[in-house]
Amino acid sequence: MDCQLAVIGGGPAGYTAAELAGKNGMKVVLFEKNSLGGVCLNEGCIPTKTLLYAAKVYDTTRNALKYGVLADPKGVDLPKIISRKSKVVRKLVLGIKARLAAQQVTVVTGEARIVDKNTVSCNGETWHCGAMILAMGSETVIPPLAGLDGVAYWTHREALDCRQLPQSLTIVGGGVIGMEFASFFNSMGVQVTVVEMMDEILRGIDRELAGMLRTEYARKGVRFLLNTQVTGVRQDISGNVAVSYRNEEGGGEILSEKLLLSVGRRPVMRGAGIENLGLELTERGRVKVDAHLETSVPGVYVCGDLNGVSLLAHTAVREAEVAVRHLMGESDEMSYRAVPGVVYTNPEIASVGKDEETLNAEGTDYQVIRLPMAFSGRFVAENEGLNGVCKALVGNDGRLLGMHILGNPASELIVMAGMMIEDKRTLSDWKRYVFPHPTVGEIFKEL
């Protein structure tokens, strides 16, 4: 069978590429071995945010009296929360199927095998394609901990389907995924301990704001062990998990009902016959791509987590758009200058552009402008007794170089800052825009 474009992987990069190519008249076949939507939709972005929103509703109910509202929360129905999560995922998967069908994209469920740059086999059938987009995504890293083979542990996948709350939970890894689960289970009343080998949580997020978020969660009862190396795990006769660790203060052991491993993700470089393409790799062993996401093999593109540049769903979507447009002969290039990063804790934390560590390493002169989120009347009205920070990093020419926000709704605000950074605009440009009042975003005019 013949097609103009073969897309391997049905996550954000894959389904975006397939839909856009189909919309522009290309004959497309998309191969997905599991479910459309990939990790993001089925066991990542969407399900975690569904759980986190339930936790936020519960937090709001418990603190309703601060706003003069009498409420009597009876607790949570975890099985119902999990069932709603699954319903949301099913609904969105069906939406992707409908969008692909509308563009006449052929979806093949099965594990594709790359024969060469113009040939893919799947389910005993062979497809000949003019171009290929690889979007196989990433996988969870399982650390080689002593004793792990004898322990029943969670990854994000098992945590998302938990239908009975543990009394205690140890999370190994204080990155985005670890902190979002720490937020959820802390709101649910679980005693949470986060073990992180670095000297601060949320590597890649502004250190100052990451420290403030950690302090907030420590106040809520989360225990943090930083600069701490896990040396082994074991399961005792009662079924609890003991995590042994070592840090500057010596060694110790944490005993908890459940263990969640969250030390990161890596591109899927095995299987699917990628090795048959002879792709050039970077020094880090990732697939090398150019500004159009094209590899060293003409007509073969790599988008999303697989290229290892930015393991974020929204990056994958944009990369897919650039790749397809290049295929169609249009002028478009990928820019990573203003890719937002968001941690959907409560409060949220969001960053875009460069942080102070990066600017200092580059030797770039900059100015820091900090404003408490209380500068926004809307924020004060909706966040009784809480505050946050809006932190802008500005170059000598007035251009915005980085923006870092702690406080709700940081995830919705950060895109405005990203647009300014991408377009190399100055803070004074914000002064010319009319913001609706009252909104939290008005704080940008105060910088």
Side-chain angles (χ1 to χ4, degrees):
M1 290 176 280
D2 297 326
C3 65
Q4 292 173 283
L5 174 64
V7 180
I8 303 178
Y15 68 70
T16 298
E19 182 183 9
L20 181 58
K23 185 179 293 184
N24 283 274
M26 296 183 72
K27 184 178 180 181
V28 184
V29 58
L30 183 151
F31 301 92
E32 171 54 52
K33 64 180 180 179
N34 294 315
S35 299
L36 285 175
V39 169
C40 175
L41 176 49
N42 292 280
E43 53 187 63
C45 317
I46 298 301
T48 55
K49 278 54 184 182
T50 306
L51 265 58
L52 285 165
Y53 187 75
K56 188 175 181 180
V57 171
Y58 185 42
D59 287 340
T60 301
T61 304
R62 288 184 297 169
N63 293 289
L65 194 57
K66 291 182 179 180
Y67 302 88
V69 177
L70 301 179
D72 184 19
K74 300 289 194 301
V76 298
D77 185 339
L78 186 59
K80 189 170 184 177
I81 291 175
I82 299 299
S83 294
R84 179 177 180 270
K85 176 265 299 181
S86 298
K87 182 180 73 173
V88 169
V89 169
R90 286 194 301 271
K91 180 177 181 179
L92 295 176
V93 168
L94 289 173
I96 292 173
K97 288 181 179 178
R99 287 163 53 183
L100 293 175
Q103 305 305 330
Q104 288 78 52
V105 173
T106 299
V107 177
V108 177
T109 302
E111 189 162 3
R113 180 79 181 173
I114 300 166
V115 178
D116 57 44
K117 71 172 189 173
N118 298 113
T119 313
V120 178
S121 64
C122 185
N123 300 337
E125 297 180 327
T126 299
W127 292 79
H128 302 284
C129 57
M132 187 180 298
I133 292 180
L134 310 183
M136 282 85 85
S138 61
E139 60 187 358
T140 299
V141 173
I142 303 298
L145 299 177
L148 191 60
D149 289 346
V151 170
Y153 62 88
W154 284 351
T155 64
H156 69 282
R157 188 179 296 109
E158 291 78 20
L160 282 170
D161 283 328
C162 165
R163 291 182 176 270
Q164 183 174 348
L165 290 170
Q167 291 186 343
S168 53
L169 171 67
T170 299
I171 300 176
V172 177
V176 174
I177 297 173
M179 280 306 301
E180 289 186 350
F181 277 112
S183 175
F184 174 74
F185 284 106
N186 172 254
S187 293
M188 296 294 104
V190 176
Q191 177 56 56
V192 177
T193 301
V194 176
V195 184
E196 171 56 51
M197 66 182 298
M198 306 298 289
D199 61 354
E200 187 55 273
I201 62 171
L202 298 174
R203 183 179 181 182
I205 295 291
D206 180 85
R207 282 181 60 86
E208 179 183 1
L209 271 62
M212 293 173 66
L213 184 72
R214 174 174 49 80
T215 299
E216 172 64 17
Y217 272 91
R219 184 188 65 79
K220 293 180 179 181
V222 177
R223 180 190 180 196
F224 292 92
L225 293 176
L226 304 180
N227 278 320
T228 298
Q229 181 72 46
V230 174
T231 57
V233 296
R234 64 178 178 84
Q235 200 145 7
D236 66 15
I237 56 174
S238 65
N240 289 326
V241 180
V243 177
S244 301
Y245 65 87
R246 182 178 293 112
N247 54 29
E248 295 177 351
E249 299 176 2
E253 191 174 73
I254 310 163
L255 195 65
S256 59
E257 188 175 337
K258 293 292 182 181
L259 168 66
L260 170 60
L261 299 180
S262 180
V263 299
R265 299 184 64 80
R266 63 186 170 208
V268 176
M269 298 293 291
R270 304 183 310 275
I274 298 178
E275 64 278 5
N276 294 332
L277 294 171
L279 302 176
E280 183 180 351
L281 304 180
T282 67
E283 293 180 356
R284 296 176 56 237
R286 308 308 186 206
V287 179
K288 187 174 183 179
V289 296
D290 63 15
H292 311 294
L293 287 306
E294 192 169 20
T295 68
S296 58
V297 177
V300 176
Y301 298 76
V302 172
C303 301
D305 291 1
L306 182 59
N307 64 44
V309 178
S310 172
L311 276 65
L312 296 168
H314 41 282
T315 304
V317 168
R318 175 63 183 144
E319 288 176 338
E321 293 169 346
V322 170
V324 171
R325 286 174 180 143
H326 185 254
L327 264 174
M328 296 186 301
E330 297 181 10
S331 177
D332 199 0
E333 291 188 354
M334 185 64 199
S335 169
Y336 298 97
R337 183 165 53 244
V339 175
V342 181
V343 189
Y344 293 85
T345 46
N346 189 18
E348 296 175 347
I349 185 170
S351 295
V352 68
K354 297 180 179 180
D355 58 17
E356 291 195 74
E357 287 182 292
T358 301
L359 292 173
N360 288 330
E362 293 175 347
T364 301
D365 292 331
Y366 65 95
Q367 176 188 6
V368 180
I369 303 177
R370 295 181 188 83
L371 285 181
M373 295 298 285
F375 263 61
S376 161
R378 174 77 175 270
F379 182 88
V380 175
E382 296 182 353
N383 294 271
E384 177 63 32
L386 300 176
N387 206 341
V389 175
C390 180
K391 176 179 177 180
L393 306 180
V394 185
N396 291 337
D397 58 359
R399 289 183 179 178
L400 184 64
L401 303 177
M403 179 67 77
H404 310 277
I405 306 171
L406 173 65
N408 298 330
S411 60
E412 300 292 346
L413 301 178
I414 202 67
V415 65
M416 288 191 285
M419 293 166 68
M420 297 287 283
I421 293 170
E422 183 63 37
D423 293 339
K424 300 180 180 180
R425 308 301 291 270
T426 67
L427 285 188
S428 61
D429 287 324
W430 257 329
K431 310 290 186 184
R432 299 185 294 104
Y433 302 136
V434 178
F435 285 68
H437 176 78
T439 56
V440 182
E442 285 179 292
I443 196 169
F444 290 151
K445 291 177 66 72
E446 302 292 336
L447 292 168

